[in-house]
Amino acid sequence: MPAAAVQPEAPQPLRKLYRSGEGRLLGGVARGLAGHLGLPVIWVRLVFIGLFMANGLGALLYAAFWFFVPLGVGGVGAERPHTVTTETGADGRRKLVVRKVDKGQLLAFVAMVSVAMVFVSTVDISNSARAYLWPTLLVGAGVALVWRQADNARRARWMAVGRRRRTLQLARAAAGVVLVGAGVTGIFVLQGSVQDLGSVLQAALAVFVGIALLAGPYLVRMTQDLSEERLMRIRAQERAEVAAHVHDSVLHTLTLIQRNAENVNEVRRLARAQERDLRTWLYKPEGTGKEEGEEPDTLADAVRKAAAEVEDKHGVPIEVVVVGDCPLDEKLTAQMQAAREAMVNAAKYGGEGGAVQVFAEVEGTTVFVSVRDRGPGFDLDSVPADRMGVRESIIGRMQRHGGTARLRAVPDGGTEVELEMERAEKTS
Amino acid sequence: MSDETTEATGAAESGGADGGSGRRVRVVLVDDHRMFRTGVQAEIGRTEVTGVEVVGEAADVDQAVTVITATRPEVVLLDVHLPGGGGVEVLRRSASMMGDAENPVRFLALSVSDAAEDVIGVIRGGARGYVTKTITGTDLVDSIFRVQDGDAVFSPRLAGFVLDAFASTDAPPVDEDLDRLTQREREVLRLIARGYAYKEIAKQLFISVKTVESHVSAVLRKLQLSNRHELTRWATARRLV
């Protein structure tokens, strides 16, 4: 990201929305939201209760939050101790300590129950529907119990609460199942008077929905957990791969450099090769951890590969700049061979003048490559006719494939080879 | 650092590098690698020969800002990767000194990095140029004097990045003046990318060295000010994920 000339102050890290695992009444939704929005918990709870009066919308919202918002260490700072916590006793053993439920929590609970009662009594519904109301509430209570249960399994990880009591868990789950079952059966029995297929179907549906409700939170949270873990694992693997590769090859190179300390050219070659390797790993876009022997399929890769090979073989540094890129075709492969030949010549005859500069550019359908050295320069006309290297492998090759090659002496010393080729089709 | 620096490369242009012109420039080195600072100091710090006087060194962002404020150098050699927020942060906190009308502090970025967002980042942060650490001592001294004059210094790689970033697209420019390179600017950049020195570019295009410099400065300005959508996208596309 190019930083703008004037950088803004670093933004505050966003507070992610989590359900609070601490000091919660039901699912920790209100506490989590309060923490996220920066409001007192009681306000959020009041809003939920108010919405609950509006045809139970609050309950729906609350359930949705509970279902989809992951449990985390968010929310308002839990100023109240847990009802059940672990303490390390004097003998060094951890044991469960049941604390008194504090008044606020109790008060809130009573308020909620009374609101529910008021809601039930005020809702004006026909008798037939009223018969469903209590079973429905029972089912709701059962589901809520089970959801809390599912939360607690995760909460145990967050809070690192020592040993959980399996019996307590089982009792809770069983209670949930029993409540749901009772609700479903209630609906069943009420329907029993009507003898037709519909009732059976309805009952079956009710059972199915009940099971879905029971298993739902587990499934949703399991997939959430799994995808999170997978992401972490992939990241860790990538890091390990890069580290392993880099460590090995760098250590290897350093060993070789120490062994060849008196051979200047070899040391330089080793260092350059390692530098290239490292740069490829660091600065290449994703998915280009190409193996050594692999054939390049784009122009940029081909130019870099040719330069690397010539550099290794002749021990002259070659700086490569590539602008744009395109896939290789037959013509361009020929151009690459010519360019490679030009690099070899530059390294052999002009290498003492410093680095060889290679520039390749794709513009529309034209591919231009220049190879320049700062050597003593060289005159094509003075090359004996039997030395066909440059004539054949560079100029001839380019012409056969419909391109052009130009060799010229640069005014201030050195030679430059310019290769130009039209690509077959434009795909950029 | 390579030991090719002892050789005359022909890339060095003016006689400015031999100190014969009697020019002087006060420089601060900012780099978190002590070995590298020592190396640069040894190469360019012999004031009677090079004309460069190293007046301070710093190894992280806070130190750099302190040293630059205290010594008010003419040119700062700035490493891109620094503890405490990187070279970009130093540039941000030195903005007032950069804009000083009397004696502005100018920055030349020096890095081993090839990452496009590093290069473009420091340029957009206000650096007057970008060279890689493989640059020879002679060329580095030359670049320092160029920056002291208020000109821009482009390494071949930076020129390549800029050409890539401003590559002709079908998208209409937001700001005609800033979002497009002129044909002439493009030619100049191309020659820089091909390894030509300013003097050679001038010969090649039959213009004066001063004109070459003004083209490069114009490109630098566009690079710093353009809000070109492609520029951002291009740099992000090359980010290390």
Side-chain angles (χ1 to χ4, degrees), chain A residues 249-303:
Chain A
S249 68
V250 169
L251 288 174
H252 188 217
T253 305
L254 288 175
T255 311
L256 286 174
I257 285 179
Q258 287 171 45
R259 264 198 216 147
N260 294 294
E262 60 289 327
N263 183 343
V264 176
N265 279 336
E266 183 62 10
V267 167
R268 193 179 288 165
R269 195 187 66 74
L270 283 166
R272 286 286 298 183
Q274 182 57 59
E275 182 187 346
R276 262 201 332 261
D277 191 42
L278 200 54
R279 282 180 189 284
T280 311
W281 271 88
L282 290 177
Y283 303 125
K284 273 283 183 69
E286 282 308 283
T288 45
K290 284 213 163 185
E291 291 306 312
E292 284 287 302
E294 223 172 294
E295 275 308 307
D297 46 11
T298 66
L299 182 93
D301 281 348
V303 173

Side-chain angles (χ1 to χ4, degrees), chain A residues 357 359 372 374 416, chain B residues 11 156 190-197 200:
Chain A
Q357 191 78 36
F359 172 73
R372 134 153 233 194
R374 296 184 175 277
E416 185 165 49
Chain B
R190 225 175 247 132
L191 288 170
I192 293 177
R194 284 164 69 171
Y196 282 62
E200 294 169 326

Side-chain angles (χ1 to χ4, degrees), chain B residues 108-123:
Chain B
L108 174 61
L110 192 65
S111 173
V112 290
S113 171
D114 273 350
E117 72 267 22
D118 287 345
V119 182
I120 303 286
V122 287
I123 294 291

Side-chain angles (χ1 to χ4, degrees), chain A residues 141-367:
Chain A
V143 169
L145 257 177
V146 172
W147 277 11
R148 241 204 109 129
Q149 176 63 43
D151 266 358
N152 277 342
R154 289 152 53 91
R155 187 175 159 194
R157 286 211 318 248
W158 282 106
M159 302 293 165
V161 171
R163 287 168 307 154
R164 308 277 315 166
R165 283 200 180 166
R166 288 206 58 82
T167 45
L168 190 72
Q169 280 196 28
L170 284 173
R172 268 198 181 173
V177 172
V178 166
L179 275 170
V180 172
V184 171
T185 318
I187 293 174
F188 222 111
V189 168
L190 283 164
Q191 282 286 343
S193 52
V194 187
Q195 297 288 330
D196 60 7
L197 192 68
S199 64
V200 179
L201 280 179
Q202 272 183 353
L205 189 70
V207 171
F208 178 74
V209 170
I211 288 170
L213 283 174
L214 278 173
Y218 283 113
L219 285 176
V220 168
R221 299 214 175 108
M222 203 147 74
T223 48
Q224 279 178 351
D225 280 358
L226 272 177
S227 65
E228 218 169 285
E229 257 164 42
R230 205 173 52 223
L231 199 70
M232 301 283 264
R233 211 173 44 238
I234 289 171
R235 278 196 191 143
Q237 262 172 354
E238 253 178 14
R239 264 203 301 270
E241 197 186 329
V242 171
H245 174 93
V246 170
H247 285 184
D248 279 8
S249 68
V250 169
L251 288 174
H252 188 217
T253 305
L254 288 175
T255 311
L256 286 174
I257 285 179
Q258 287 171 45
R259 264 198 216 147
N260 294 294
E262 60 289 327
N263 183 343
V264 176
N265 279 336
E266 183 62 10
V267 167
R268 193 179 288 165
R269 195 187 66 74
L270 283 166
R272 286 286 298 183
Q274 182 57 59
E275 182 187 346
R276 262 201 332 261
D277 191 42
L278 200 54
R279 282 180 189 284
T280 311
W281 271 88
L282 290 177
Y283 303 125
K284 273 283 183 69
E286 282 308 283
T288 45
K290 284 213 163 185
E291 291 306 312
E292 284 287 302
E294 223 172 294
E295 275 308 307
D297 46 11
T298 66
L299 182 93
D301 281 348
V303 173
R304 289 201 184 95
K305 186 164 184 270
E309 283 164 2
V310 175
E311 201 175 57
D312 276 354
K313 198 165 167 209
H314 298 276
V316 172
I318 300 182
E319 299 292 339
V320 183
V321 175
V322 184
V323 175
D325 201 0
C326 66
L328 278 181
D329 58 22
E330 197 187 334
K331 285 171 143 193
L332 296 188
T333 309
Q335 189 184 20
M336 284 303 103
Q337 286 165 335
R340 189 198 176 91
E341 201 63 40
M343 290 181 215
V344 171
N345 280 338
K348 266 195 199 158
Y349 305 117
E352 66 277 9
V356 172
Q357 191 78 36
V358 175
F359 172 73
E361 182 178 40
V362 181
E363 208 189 10
T365 57
T366 311
V367 178

Side-chain angles (χ1 to χ4, degrees), chain B residues 158-173:
Chain B
L158 175 56
F161 279 156
V162 177
L163 281 171
D164 226 345
F166 281 91
S168 43
T169 51
D170 304 332

Side-chain angles (χ1 to χ4, degrees), chain B residues 80-98:
Chain B
V80 174
H81 294 156
L82 277 180
V88 174
E89 182 64 14
V90 177
L91 288 161
R92 202 179 61 81
R93 285 163 61 179
S94 315
S96 59
M97 288 184 278
M98 261 194 275

